Amino acid sequence: MVTSSLDYVCTLIAPTDKPGFSEEFINAFFAVLTASAVAVNSTRILSKDRAVDYDIQVSASEIFEVKISLFELSNKAGIDIVFQPAGDARRSKGLVVFDMDSTLIQQEVIDMIAAYANVEEEVSKITAAAMNGEIDFNQSLSQRVGLLAGIPSTVFESLKSQIVFTPGARQLTHALNKLGVKTAVLSGGFIPLAKWVQAELGLDYAHANTLEISEDGTQLTGRTLGTVVNGHVKGQLLEEIATKENLDLSRTVAVGDGSNDLIMMGVAGFGVAFNAKPAVQEKAPSKLNTESLLDILYIFGYNDEEITELIN
Ligand SMILES: [Mg+2]
């Protein structure tokens, strides 16, 4: 039986705080490739001790097996292995969309508001129920937002100074701007902070949920207004932006950490689960568990020299 071979790129990315690839790991990596008769055509160092590209040829019938084996090896070794089709789409991105909470920023905004309002325990109970699949995103959002009724509408102003951006978020978005790549934050959180994050990072688009404000403008009513930005809507928004920018979906990427980011990762040409929950990492097109969002540029095929130029 003749099966066709396809060109892929396999990128190994070592953690920031533990650079280098041990001989044992490299041997295990090649053992996986050899077991599936994968041919390695060329190798490129993207970053000394941190990132390396292997151009490989895999028989179509072996791709699934190779991906699974590399995923297992990656988890065991604590080194990210990104497996993606070779070709121009890898480098020539047109749009990158990001989740906000625990992706572009380190916190979950709903938890910050809850702390502000002293309803942390109630909110985390609802969050846990949503994570266990007992209630869906829309239900959990409306229940959590309901707990925020009566909070001063100035809450977002006071939260801004507490927001911590994820390492590499500023450099990555700066680099993408320089490359002419459109960027967006698509958040299941709230628009005042998503707009602020958009302005801070120079993003092209921001979409999130709107919290209703009382008629006199002083407090939150505990309700949202308009369409709830859930996982499905994030996927739709990605498509809408791509259409507006006249971009083929193959040139789009979605980055997020939660299960409600999986749909947009599926809609996009490629997806990156960034420091995501294990179940999300398993289902996402790729995973990155390093400290910095800037490492996404290795996934796009840029080397350290090019990255330095892009961030300056
Ligand atoms: Mg998130």
Side-chain angles (χ1 to χ4, degrees):
M1 191 178 72
V2 180
T3 59
S4 59
S5 270
L6 298 164
D7 292 325
Y8 276 81
V9 185
C10 208
T11 311
L12 313 183
I13 305 174
T16 329
D17 56 354
K18 229 181 138 203
F21 304 105
S22 70
E23 203 183 315
E24 189 193 355
F25 169 73
I26 292 294
N27 288 341
F29 173 70
F30 277 101
V32 168
L33 300 187
T34 308
S36 291
V38 173
V40 177
N41 294 332
S42 51
T43 308
R44 273 181 310 278
I45 309 276
L46 300 176
S47 176
K48 193 180 168 287
D49 293 333
R50 289 253 3 254
V52 56
D53 257 2
Y54 290 92
D55 294 318
I56 59 176
Q57 260 182 328
V58 196
S59 134
S61 59
E62 296 283 332
I63 289 170
F64 188 68
E65 195 58 42
V66 172
K67 268 186 97 162
I68 301 260
S69 304
L70 290 178
F71 185 79
E72 281 167 5
L73 171 64
S74 169
N75 283 343
K76 212 173 105 195
I79 286 176
D80 291 314
I81 305 178
V82 178
F83 187 82
Q84 61 185 316
D88 293 345
R90 183 195 181 192
R91 256 181 102 106
S92 72
K93 301 301 183 199
L95 168 69
V96 181
V97 307
F98 298 90
D99 167 54
M100 184 169 79
D101 295 20
S102 301
T103 299
L104 283 176
I105 65 170
Q106 305 243 274
Q107 297 112 319
E108 292 286 326
V109 168
I110 188 105
D111 293 338
M112 297 171 79
I113 308 178
Y116 178 94
N118 276 320
V119 289
E120 279 164 297
E121 226 172 273
E122 291 90 328
V123 165
S124 55
K125 261 185 216 161
I126 301 167
T127 308
M131 276 182 192
N132 293 333
E134 292 158 29
I135 50 173
D136 70 13
F137 181 84
N138 287 27
Q139 283 175 306
S140 81
L141 184 77
S142 75
Q143 287 181 19
R144 288 181 292 180
V145 168
L147 294 169
L148 309 179
I151 292 178
S153 54
T154 51
V155 56
F156 293 109
E157 270 319 305
S158 45
L159 290 185
K160 283 174 191 170
S161 61
Q162 295 174 37
I163 299 278
V164 179
F165 283 94
T166 301
R170 284 182 193 276
Q171 290 112 312
L172 174 63
T173 49
H174 177 80
L176 293 174
N177 278 344
K178 219 162 162 178
L179 287 165
V181 178
K182 297 291 171 189
T183 50
V185 54
L186 303 182
S187 171
F190 308 111
I191 203 70
L193 287 175
K195 286 272 183 205
W196 181 75
V197 164
Q198 176 189 18
E200 285 287 311
L201 299 180
L203 308 177
D204 296 290
Y205 298 89
H207 292 278
N209 293 300
T210 303
L211 288 175
E212 189 183 54
I213 309 280
S214 62
E215 264 176 48
D216 63 2
T218 60
Q219 44 187 280
L220 306 181
T221 64
R223 287 185 296 267
T224 58
L225 287 174
T227 310
V228 168
V229 180
N230 56 26
H232 282 281
V233 173
K234 284 186 179 198
Q236 284 167 7
L237 288 166
L238 184 147
E239 249 183 310
E240 272 173 39
I241 297 169
T243 305
K244 201 172 157 196
E245 296 291 346
N246 210 5
L247 287 166
D248 196 275
L249 283 172
S250 63
R251 295 183 58 208
T252 66
V253 182
V255 183
D257 74 297
S259 54
N260 68 333
D261 299 317
L262 283 168
I263 294 172
M264 66 174 180
M265 288 187 205
V267 171
F270 201 60
V272 182
F274 182 69
N275 289 315
K277 303 221 161 46
V280 178
Q281 297 188 27
E282 247 172 66
K283 292 175 192 142
S286 75
K287 66 177 181 71
L288 183 65
N289 289 326
T290 64
E291 199 182 285
S292 173
L293 276 170
L294 192 59
D295 292 344
I296 285 177
L297 290 178
Y298 295 140
I299 298 179
F300 296 170
Y302 292 89
N303 64 36
D304 273 343
E305 213 175 24
E306 293 167 313
I307 293 171
T308 305
E309 205 163 295
L310 282 170
I311 60 177
N312 284 322

